[in-house]
């Protein structure tokens, strides 16, 4: 199932309403650490979280490294946007544990 929805911090209803997902993407919503804190309840075990990040990607990854959580950094790929040529980073995390949906 593909779902285009926005999740907010401390959202207690999203997982109950939509379940869990094996692939979650984030684009221009918030910092890496903040988004990862929103997703444990909606990410299946071993789910992947994809971020398209601009020039602050390295700083956001450093911030994430200081906070414990159920995710590990899987890969970082550098790329250029097709029309503008602007630099971007595709940052992929994977979930390392099972986090049950709260009921």
């Amino acid at each position: 199932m593909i779902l285009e929805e926005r999740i907010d911090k401390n959202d207690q209803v999203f997982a109950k309403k939509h379940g869990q997902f094996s692939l979650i993407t984030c684009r221009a919503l918030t910092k890496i650490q903040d988004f990862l804190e929103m997703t444990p309840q909606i990410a299946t075990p071993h789910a992947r979280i994809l971020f398209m990040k601009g020039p602050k990607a390295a700083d956001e990854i450093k911030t994430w490294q200081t906070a414990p959580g159920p995710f590990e950094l899987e890969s970082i790929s550098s790329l250029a946007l097709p029309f503008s040529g602007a630099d971007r980073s595709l940052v992929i995390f994977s979930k390392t544990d099972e986090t049950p949906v709260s009921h």
Side-chain angles (χ1 to χ4, degrees):
M1 168 176 58
I2 297 173
L3 179 66
E4 182 182 347
E5 289 285 332
R6 181 182 176 117
I7 187 167
D8 295 307
K9 196 167 190 170
N10 301 318
D11 188 333
Q12 301 298 313
V13 178
F14 192 95
K16 291 178 188 176
K17 183 176 179 184
H18 301 293
Q20 293 183 305
F21 298 87
S22 59
L23 181 64
I24 300 168
T25 63
C26 178
R27 183 185 156 276
L29 175 65
T30 190
K31 295 178 182 173
I32 288 172
Q33 180 61 33
D34 294 340
F35 189 74
L36 289 175
E37 289 174 359
M38 294 181 207
T39 60
Q41 298 296 334
I42 64 168
T44 62
H46 312 291
R48 288 197 168 98
I49 316 295
L50 282 65
F51 295 87
M52 181 66 73
K53 300 305 288 186
K56 296 182 181 180
D59 293 336
E60 291 185 30
I61 291 168
K62 285 180 186 175
T63 299
W64 163 78
Q65 290 172 326
T66 65
F71 297 98
E72 66 182 7
L73 181 59
E74 187 173 302
S75 68
I76 305 168
S77 301
S78 297
L79 52 101
L81 294 180
F83 297 106
S84 69
D87 292 331
R88 293 292 183 267
S89 295
L90 176 62
V91 183
I92 303 175
F93 286 83
S94 58
K95 189 173 180 195
T96 58
D97 77 346
E98 293 188 33
T99 305
V101 175
S102 298
H103 293 285

